[in-house]
Amino acid sequence: MLLRAARRWQSLDVEPARIERATAEHGAAGGRATGTVVDAAGSTVLRYLVTWDARWCTRTVDVERASGPPLALVADGLGSWADDAGALPLLDGALDVDLAGSPLTNTLPIRRLRLAVGGAADIVTAYIPEGDRPPTTSRQRYERLAAMRYRYTSLDSGFSALLDVDPVGMVERYEGLFARIP
């Protein structure tokens, strides 16, 4: 593997805080990440497995949420998605997944886009909300402000936050939402 990383984050916007534990691996053919988000009582809020291809485009997403049915999505890496029931045209155009409650999935567009400092790109993600709501698309912008700093903006809501990342593009601090912990 060219990249192997294990990370933990604490939520900053939920009291009591939630903790996410994730492991990511990436090699020449692509990669995968597994993670679990737990609440203060240790109960699982979210469990996921995400895979991607060599270009960092999402290929599969398996999610178990504390409330709501499990999700199993497949993407072709070109913007088409499906589940067990068939095609999901609502998600057309998304190359990345965005899991609510997890900073890990910010790594995928950061790595895929390879923005130069000062560069920006607008993307569409397959957004997986918390609870029992179905996936939808989310229009987003990533701007690379410095070697290890990005600005994330939701083009749908106008929400914006600074993301400080480590050398492999994984979030160290997501302004107002998450902070990496040892």
Side-chain angles (χ1 to χ4, degrees):
M1 288 286 151
L2 300 173
L3 164 70
R4 177 176 234 155
R7 300 286 187 270
R8 291 183 343 131
W9 295 275
Q10 178 176 314
S11 65
L12 303 175
D13 65 330
V14 177
E15 283 295 327
R18 294 176 177 175
I19 302 294
E20 177 177 1
R21 292 174 184 86
T23 303
E25 299 174 341
H26 181 81
R32 64 183 270 146
T34 58
T36 304
V37 178
V38 297
D39 63 19
S43 298
T44 299
V45 174
L46 174 74
R47 181 174 286 127
Y48 61 84
L49 166 64
V50 175
T51 66
W52 55 87
D53 62 23
R55 300 170 302 131
W56 292 85
C57 294
T58 302
R59 298 309 298 269
T60 65
V61 180
D62 292 301
V63 177
E64 296 175 27
R65 302 177 282 188
S67 59
L71 296 173
L73 305 177
V74 177
D76 66 0
L78 302 172
S80 294
W81 293 72
D83 64 10
D84 292 341
L88 296 171
L90 178 66
L91 301 180
D92 280 356
L95 298 179
D96 307 290
V97 66
D98 182 1
L99 294 174
S102 172
L104 178 106
T105 51
N106 295 96
T107 303
L108 300 174
I110 286 171
R111 292 297 302 247
R112 181 176 62 76
L113 295 169
R114 299 178 188 209
L115 296 172
V117 173
D122 294 351
I123 66 170
V124 176
T125 68
Y127 176 69
I128 312 297
E130 289 186 356
D132 62 356
R133 294 178 297 165
T136 186
T137 54
S138 173
R139 297 177 314 117
Q140 303 175 356
R141 174 175 294 135
Y142 281 83
E143 299 172 74
R144 191 166 190 182
L145 305 176
M148 303 294 190
R149 178 168 272 192
Y150 290 78
R151 176 179 291 117
Y152 163 88
T153 303
S154 166
L155 299 175
D156 296 323
S157 72
F159 170 80
S160 183
L162 295 175
L163 306 177
D164 293 317
V165 301
D166 66 15
V168 298
M170 295 181 81
V171 171
E172 291 280 319
R173 185 161 188 85
Y174 188 130
E175 182 182 28
L177 295 180
F178 304 100
R180 184 170 168 210
I181 56 177

